CSV table of all heavy atoms in Angstrom, one decimal:
chain,number,residue,atom,x,y,z
G,417,VAL,N,-2.9,1.2,-17.0
G,417,VAL,CA,-2.6,-0.2,-17.1
G,417,VAL,C,-3.7,-1.2,-16.7
G,417,VAL,O,-4.1,-2.1,-17.4
G,417,VAL,CB,-1.2,-0.6,-16.5
G,417,VAL,CG1,-1.0,-2.1,-16.4
G,417,VAL,CG2,-0.1,0.1,-17.2
G,418,PRO,N,-4.3,-1.0,-15.5
G,418,PRO,CA,-5.4,-1.9,-15.1
G,418,PRO,C,-6.6,-1.7,-16.0
G,418,PRO,O,-7.3,-2.7,-16.3
G,418,PRO,CB,-5.7,-1.4,-13.7
G,418,PRO,CG,-4.5,-0.8,-13.2
G,418,PRO,CD,-3.9,-0.1,-14.4
G,419,GLN,N,-6.8,-0.5,-16.6
G,419,GLN,CA,-8.0,-0.3,-17.4
G,419,GLN,C,-7.8,-1.1,-18.8
G,419,GLN,O,-8.7,-1.6,-19.3
G,419,GLN,CB,-8.2,1.1,-17.7
G,419,GLN,CG,-9.5,1.4,-18.4
G,419,GLN,CD,-10.7,0.8,-17.7
G,419,GLN,OE1,-11.0,1.2,-16.6
G,419,GLN,NE2,-11.4,-0.1,-18.4
G,420,VAL,N,-6.6,-1.1,-19.3
G,420,VAL,CA,-6.3,-1.8,-20.5
G,420,VAL,C,-6.5,-3.3,-20.3
G,420,VAL,O,-7.1,-4.0,-21.1
G,420,VAL,CB,-4.9,-1.6,-21.0
G,420,VAL,CG1,-4.5,-2.5,-22.2
G,420,VAL,CG2,-4.7,-0.1,-21.4
G,421,TYR,N,-6.1,-3.8,-19.1
G,421,TYR,CA,-6.4,-5.2,-18.8
G,421,TYR,C,-7.9,-5.5,-18.8
G,421,TYR,O,-8.4,-6.5,-19.4
G,421,TYR,CB,-5.8,-5.6,-17.5
G,421,TYR,CG,-6.3,-7.0,-17.0
G,421,TYR,CD1,-5.8,-8.1,-17.5
G,421,TYR,CD2,-7.3,-7.0,-16.0
G,421,TYR,CE1,-6.3,-9.4,-17.1
G,421,TYR,CE2,-7.8,-8.3,-15.6
G,421,TYR,CZ,-7.3,-9.4,-16.1
G,421,TYR,OH,-7.8,-10.6,-15.7
G,422,SER,N,-8.7,-4.6,-18.2
G,422,SER,CA,-10.1,-4.7,-18.1
G,422,SER,C,-10.7,-4.7,-19.5
G,422,SER,O,-11.7,-5.4,-19.8
G,422,SER,CB,-10.7,-3.7,-17.2
G,422,SER,OG,-10.4,-3.9,-15.9
G,423,ALA,N,-10.2,-3.8,-20.4
G,423,ALA,CA,-10.7,-3.7,-21.7
G,423,ALA,C,-10.6,-5.1,-22.4
G,423,ALA,O,-11.5,-5.5,-23.2
G,423,ALA,CB,-9.9,-2.7,-22.5
G,424,GLY,N,-9.5,-5.8,-22.2
G,424,GLY,CA,-9.3,-7.1,-22.8
G,424,GLY,C,-10.4,-8.1,-22.3
G,424,GLY,O,-10.8,-8.9,-23.1
G,425,ARG,N,-10.8,-8.0,-21.0
G,425,ARG,CA,-11.8,-8.9,-20.5
G,425,ARG,C,-13.1,-8.7,-21.2
G,425,ARG,O,-13.9,-9.6,-21.3
G,425,ARG,CB,-11.9,-8.6,-19.0
G,425,ARG,CG,-10.8,-9.0,-18.2
G,425,ARG,CD,-11.0,-8.8,-16.7
G,425,ARG,NE,-12.1,-9.6,-16.2
G,425,ARG,CZ,-12.8,-9.3,-15.1
G,425,ARG,NH1,-12.5,-8.2,-14.4
G,425,ARG,NH2,-13.8,-10.1,-14.7
G,426,PHE,N,-13.3,-7.4,-21.7
G,426,PHE,CA,-14.6,-7.1,-22.4
G,426,PHE,C,-14.4,-7.1,-23.9
G,426,PHE,O,-15.3,-6.6,-24.6
G,426,PHE,CB,-15.1,-5.8,-21.9
G,426,PHE,CG,-15.6,-5.8,-20.5
G,426,PHE,CD1,-14.9,-5.2,-19.5
G,426,PHE,CD2,-16.8,-6.5,-20.1
G,426,PHE,CE1,-15.3,-5.2,-18.2
G,426,PHE,CE2,-17.2,-6.5,-18.8
G,426,PHE,CZ,-16.4,-5.9,-17.8
G,427,LYS,N,-13.4,-7.8,-24.4
G,427,LYS,CA,-13.1,-8.0,-25.8
G,427,LYS,C,-13.1,-6.7,-26.6
G,427,LYS,O,-13.5,-6.6,-27.8
G,427,LYS,CB,-14.2,-8.9,-26.4
G,427,LYS,CG,-14.5,-10.2,-25.6
G,427,LYS,CD,-13.3,-11.1,-25.6
G,427,LYS,CE,-13.6,-12.4,-24.8
G,427,LYS,NZ,-12.4,-13.2,-24.6
G,428,VAL,N,-12.5,-5.7,-26.0
G,428,VAL,CA,-12.4,-4.4,-26.7
G,428,VAL,C,-11.2,-4.5,-27.7
G,428,VAL,O,-10.1,-5.0,-27.3
G,428,VAL,CB,-12.1,-3.2,-25.8
G,428,VAL,CG1,-11.8,-1.9,-26.5
G,428,VAL,CG2,-13.4,-3.0,-24.9
G,429,ASP,N,-11.3,-4.1,-28.9
G,429,ASP,CA,-10.3,-4.1,-29.9
G,429,ASP,C,-9.3,-3.0,-29.7
G,429,ASP,O,-9.6,-1.8,-30.0
G,429,ASP,CB,-10.9,-4.0,-31.3
G,429,ASP,CG,-9.8,-4.1,-32.4
G,429,ASP,OD1,-8.6,-4.3,-32.1
G,429,ASP,OD2,-10.1,-3.8,-33.6
G,430,MET,N,-8.2,-3.3,-29.1
G,430,MET,CA,-7.2,-2.3,-28.7
G,430,MET,C,-6.4,-1.7,-29.9
G,430,MET,O,-5.8,-0.7,-29.7
G,430,MET,CB,-6.3,-2.8,-27.6
G,430,MET,CG,-6.9,-3.1,-26.3
G,430,MET,SD,-7.8,-1.6,-25.6
G,430,MET,CE,-6.4,-0.5,-25.4
G,431,THR,N,-6.5,-2.3,-31.0
G,431,THR,CA,-5.9,-1.7,-32.2
G,431,THR,C,-6.5,-0.4,-32.6
G,431,THR,O,-5.9,0.4,-33.3
G,431,THR,CB,-5.9,-2.7,-33.4
G,431,THR,OG1,-7.3,-2.9,-33.8
G,431,THR,CG2,-5.2,-4.0,-33.1
G,432,ALA,N,-7.7,-0.1,-32.1
G,432,ALA,CA,-8.4,1.1,-32.3
G,432,ALA,C,-7.8,2.3,-31.5
G,432,ALA,O,-8.1,3.4,-31.7
G,432,ALA,CB,-9.9,1.0,-32.1
Side-chain angles (χ1 to χ4, degrees):
V417 167
Q419 187 56 60
V420 171
Y421 169 76
S422 294
R425 293 180 63 199
F426 292 108
K427 312 297 184 188
V428 174
D429 179 10
M430 291 305 298
T431 62

